[in-house]
Amino acid sequence: IQMTQSPSSLSASVGDRVTITCRASQRISSSLNWYRQKPGKAPNLLIYAASSLQSGVPSRFSGSGSGTDFTLTISSLQPEDFATYYCQQSYSIPGTFGQGTKVEIK
Amino acid sequence: EVQLVESGGGLVQPGGSLRLSCAASGFTFSTYWMSWVRQAPGTGLEWVANIKQDGSEKHYVDSVKGRFTISRDNAKNSLYLQMNSLRVEDTAVYYCARVGVTGTMWDYWGQGTLVTVSS
């Protein structure tokens, strides 16, 4: 299953609302996770099963979608959110990732 | 606190071997699936292998089948990845990751260990 994210990169300011989309090459129900990866660090799980917030993750992160189209929204961008975001399908093995969306400071 | 600490990375020539280890703590290791996920320099993430709680079931990405072996020692709370016949394209940071209770996501990751395959 191929996962395609858009955009590949974006520039935004602290406090902005940011939306990242992920499209699967076939229907994957709600089997979609989102991760944030800060430079030089391991990925961090944000959202699982398309819309469930992982424990300890701030409520400014939310996820939606099902089938083939999914969205990650950051309601008010914080300094620590400047990072790369990956979607990942867990519908079938291998659990493929999208190519990533880099969120940069405007 | 859940902790996953990888070790064993380094520089190896093409065709060589390397064994990665991951020491787990802060949770009941024997009750979780575990995985290795890698990231080539400047690129995205790629799942490498999974292993079931008791080691009875294992899965691999096609590109490493027959060359890599995932294993675990629940008595030592440790996960391993034996990598043989290494190729230049295996160069990456290798992360140890815990599979969450729903079995569908990686909820904790180690800091990673760098494997460089080069002559």
Side-chain angles (χ1 to χ4, degrees):
Chain A
I1 300 175
Q2 306 284 343
M3 308 300 295
T4 304
Q5 290 180 231
S6 61
S8 295
S9 64
L10 65 89
S11 295
S13 301
V14 172
D16 283 354
R17 182 182 182 88
V18 168
T19 298
I20 298 169
T21 63
C22 179
R23 174 165 288 179
S25 61
Q26 65 184 70
R27 294 184 66 84
I28 59 170
S29 186
S30 296
S31 302
L32 193 283
N33 308 313
W34 290 98
Y35 300 85
R36 176 181 66 183
Q37 186 177 33
K38 298 177 184 178
K41 301 294 186 181
N44 181 47
L45 177 67
L46 301 173
I47 301 286
Y48 64 95
S51 60
S52 295
L53 191 68
Q54 171 67 357
S55 176
V57 172
S59 59
R60 64 181 181 272
F61 292 96
S62 64
S64 64
S66 66
T68 60
D69 294 310
F70 302 87
T71 299
L72 173 70
T73 299
I74 309 171
S75 61
S76 178
L77 203 65
Q78 297 302 300
E80 59 269 31
D81 298 334
F82 292 96
T84 300
Y85 293 81
Y86 294 93
C87 64
Q88 176 250 328
Q89 65 83 14
S90 55
Y91 186 79
S92 66
I93 291 175
T96 42
F97 291 87
Q99 82 280 12
T101 295
K102 188 173 184 178
V103 176
E104 299 175 303
I105 301 173
K106 182 183 284 186
Chain B
E1 179 193 5
V2 173
Q3 284 199 318
L4 299 168
V5 180
E6 302 94 336
S7 60
L11 175 64
V12 61
Q13 292 187 338
S17 297
L18 214 54
R19 189 195 196 207
L20 305 183
S21 300
C22 171
S25 61
F27 65 102
T28 306
F29 179 73
S30 61
T31 64
Y32 286 86
W33 280 78
M34 296 294 297
S35 299
W36 289 98
V37 179
R38 67 184 178 183
Q39 186 169 33
T43 68
L45 298 158
E46 180 184 44
W47 165 78
V48 174
N50 274 0
I51 186 167
K52 194 176 179 179
Q53 290 91 334
D54 61 358
S56 63
E57 191 173 334
K58 304 174 185 181
H59 302 280
Y60 301 91
V61 68
D62 284 348
S63 59
V64 308
K65 284 180 181 175
R67 300 189 299 123
F68 289 12
T69 302
I70 189 172
S71 63
R72 64 192 297 162
D73 185 335
N74 287 341
K76 295 183 177 179
N77 291 335
S78 293
L79 177 72
Y80 306 101
L81 186 67
Q82 178 67 43
M83 303 185 294
N84 299 330
S85 302
L86 281 161
R87 304 168 180 169
V88 171
E89 55 266 34
D90 295 318
T91 295
V93 174
Y94 285 73
Y95 295 102
C96 164
R98 188 182 85 169
V99 178
V101 291
T102 65
T104 61
M105 75 291 198
W106 293 289
D107 60 355
Y108 286 93
W109 300 61
Q111 84 289 349
T113 187
L114 177 62
V115 172
T116 303
V117 185
S118 174
S119 55

